[in-house]
């Protein structure tokens, strides 16, 4: 993802998209979660707590027409973007937020690549703009965690017991893709429309199954295709 833009995805980037129009700005807020207490006779004290999780917020447009400033060649319909984000919210799983910035003169660039939760998503169809949808999105950095297994050593009578916690491992949030069996008359475009709700997403199926362009044009009856979740 070297191109300047914003990308949202889920399931280890098997399902996702680049924002069709780059937001004018991305706001990031951080803090230490500090809290002030008033202690009798001692006066006010400030307790510094653990640093709070970074929050990101931005606004943008899901366009229904081809503007000259689009960041993608073939944007989806505005409703398709909305349905994907709402589907991710319903899944109650973190998504991947990637921002690839422009390069500076020294060759370096500012980038964000983090797992985040969707804190809020608001959208509306803008009157007089041909079906464009304006939206606002708030994200919060997500920290993976898992329950830790406890084993007991030295459990015989008269001996002391010690508790050993197994090291925490990052959970795998990947879900196996769905599988679709090709039937007579099927095309990748029709399969994408039937399984994903948008024929324009056929390239996701092609990429997931590592199909060449010639294989896309000659699907076999009974062929198993993995479908992004």
């Amino acid at each position: 993802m070297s191109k300047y833009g914003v990308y949202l995805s889920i399931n280890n980037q098997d399902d996702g998209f680049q924002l069709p129009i780059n937001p004018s700005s991305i706001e990031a807020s951080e803090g230490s979660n500090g809290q002030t207490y008033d202690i009798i006779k001692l006066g006010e004290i400030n307790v510094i707590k653990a640093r709070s999780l970074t929050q990101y917020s931005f606004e943008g447009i899901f366009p229904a027409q081809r503007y000259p400033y689009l960041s993608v060649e073939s944007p989806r319909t505005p409703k398709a973007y909305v349905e994907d984000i709402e589907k991710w919210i319903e899944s109650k799983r973190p998504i991947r937020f990637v921002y690839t910035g422009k390069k500076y003169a020294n060759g370096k660039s500012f980038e964000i690549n983090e797992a985040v939760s969707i804190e809020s998503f608001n959208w509306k169809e803008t009157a007089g703009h041909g079906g464009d949808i304006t939206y606002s999105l708030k994200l919060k950095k997500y920290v993976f965690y898992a329950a830790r297994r406890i084993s007991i050593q030295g459990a015989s009578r008269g001996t002391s017991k010690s508790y050993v916690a197994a090291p925490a491992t990052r959970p795998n949030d990947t879900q196996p893709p769905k599988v679709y069996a090709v039937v007579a008359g099927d095309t990748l475009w029709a399969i994408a429309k039937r399984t994903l709700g948008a024929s324009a997403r056929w390239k996701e199926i092609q990429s997931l199954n590592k199909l060449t362009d010639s294989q896309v044009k000659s699907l076999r009856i009974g062929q198993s295709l993995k479908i992004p979740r």
Side-chain angles (χ1 to χ4, degrees), residues 179-193:
V179 177
Y180 176 87
V182 176
V183 299
D186 262 345
T187 64
L188 218 56
W189 297 265
I191 295 172
K193 177 67 174 178

Side-chain angles (χ1 to χ4, degrees), residues 14-25:
D14 280 345
D15 182 13
F17 54 81
Q18 179 183 355
L19 291 184
I21 296 178
N22 291 326
S24 58
S25 63

Side-chain angles (χ1 to χ4, degrees), residues 192-213:
K193 177 67 174 178
R194 185 178 304 120
T195 60
L196 300 175
S199 58
R201 299 182 64 184
W202 66 271
K203 287 188 178 180
E204 297 177 36
I205 302 177
Q206 179 186 16
S207 176
L208 182 59
N209 291 273
K210 297 180 173 59
L211 300 175
T212 65
D213 290 341

Side-chain angles (χ1 to χ4, degrees), residues 60 62 78-79 81-83 85-86 89 120-126 131-137:
F62 294 137
K79 191 66 173 175
Y81 291 107
V82 171
E83 289 173 348
I85 295 176
E86 290 183 336
I89 294 173
S120 70
F121 173 55
N122 300 297
W123 62 273
K124 65 179 179 179
E125 188 170 342
T126 307
D132 290 351
I133 286 179
T134 59
Y135 70 90
S136 63
L137 195 60

